[in-house]
Amino acid sequence: MDTKTSKPRRQFLKALSGVALLGLAGTSSLPGRLWAAEQGAGAGSGKSPDEVDWKSLTEEQWRQRLTEEEFEILREEGTEPAFSSPLNAETRKGTYICAGCALPLFSSETKFESGTGWPSFYEPLPDAVDTKTDYKLLFPRTEYHCRRCGGHQGHVFDDGPEPTGKRWCNNGRALDFRPAEG
């Protein structure tokens, strides 16, 4: 470890290693989480996540913050294999946040088991996502991205439960989970 590493960072890294040993760190992006915890999402600028111009970060800056799998999904609009995300089985109350910029995207209250192999929700949080039409499979689908950083999250389908009838099918590696306090 770098001898110039600050005491708070060393304490944070030590705590993270303990979490990893327990097998609990697999649901989040270590580089993104380290960066956000140390820098408050401002890349050393002291800015809050809302003050960062996320969409202007370079490819190299994103590669430094994300794992290879997260980069492929969030920045290159990839899709993880079905049933590969630990978040698929997450049942605690809390908030699902963008793995790229930590913007809250979904409440656990809207999560449901779709049987598809990806975390699914019937509704995003207000003003959390932007949508566009995707023709990659030759027929139109509604793709959605994190409103703040533009990170690809997944696709919306019309086969979800009430009250919306929508299934917001999300890549688990595009999300982190923040448990509710208490």
Side-chain angles (χ1 to χ4, degrees):
M1 179 179 288
D2 183 356
T3 58
K4 294 180 182 178
T5 303
S6 69
K7 185 176 180 179
R9 179 176 179 188
R10 284 193 306 273
Q11 290 172 331
F12 179 75
L13 291 172
K14 185 177 179 182
L16 257 184
S17 66
V19 170
L21 288 174
L22 293 172
L24 299 175
T27 62
S28 66
S29 99
L30 187 58
R33 190 174 290 273
L34 278 173
W35 180 66
E38 283 183 31
Q39 319 264 335
S45 66
K47 294 181 179 179
S48 75
D50 288 330
E51 296 172 316
V52 175
D53 183 3
W54 291 95
K55 292 181 181 176
S56 72
L57 294 181
T58 65
E59 179 178 328
E60 182 57 33
Q61 288 171 313
W62 280 116
R63 286 189 183 280
Q64 290 173 2
R65 287 157 177 71
L66 304 170
T67 65
E68 286 181 40
E69 294 87 4
E70 290 168 336
F71 184 86
E72 180 187 350
I73 293 164
L74 288 163
R75 309 316 308 166
E76 297 178 334
E77 299 182 344
T79 301
E80 69 195 14
F83 301 101
S84 67
S85 171
L87 291 181
N88 217 23
E90 180 60 65
T91 59
R92 295 175 291 171
K93 289 186 179 193
T95 305
Y96 292 85
I97 63 175
C98 176
C101 70
L103 181 71
L105 301 178
F106 296 96
S107 165
S108 62
E109 301 296 320
T110 65
K111 187 174 189 256
F112 69 96
E113 176 52 56
S114 66
T116 61
W118 290 280
S120 297
F121 306 86
Y122 63 77
E123 181 176 54
L125 292 170
D127 300 318
V129 298
D130 290 326
T131 62
K132 72 176 188 178
T133 303
D134 165 13
Y135 292 96
K136 290 179 189 160
L137 295 180
L138 302 180
F139 58 90
R141 299 184 298 169
T142 302
E143 180 178 313
Y144 64 98
H145 295 251
C146 171
R147 176 193 47 81
R148 182 160 58 195
C149 72
H152 171 72
Q153 295 294 320
H155 292 85
V156 186
F157 301 96
D158 291 324
D159 59 2
E162 294 301 324
T164 65
K166 301 289 185 188
R167 174 172 52 97
W168 296 78
C169 186
N170 216 100
N171 285 288
R173 286 187 176 94
L175 296 170
D176 280 331
F177 179 70
R178 184 179 296 151
E181 293 182 20

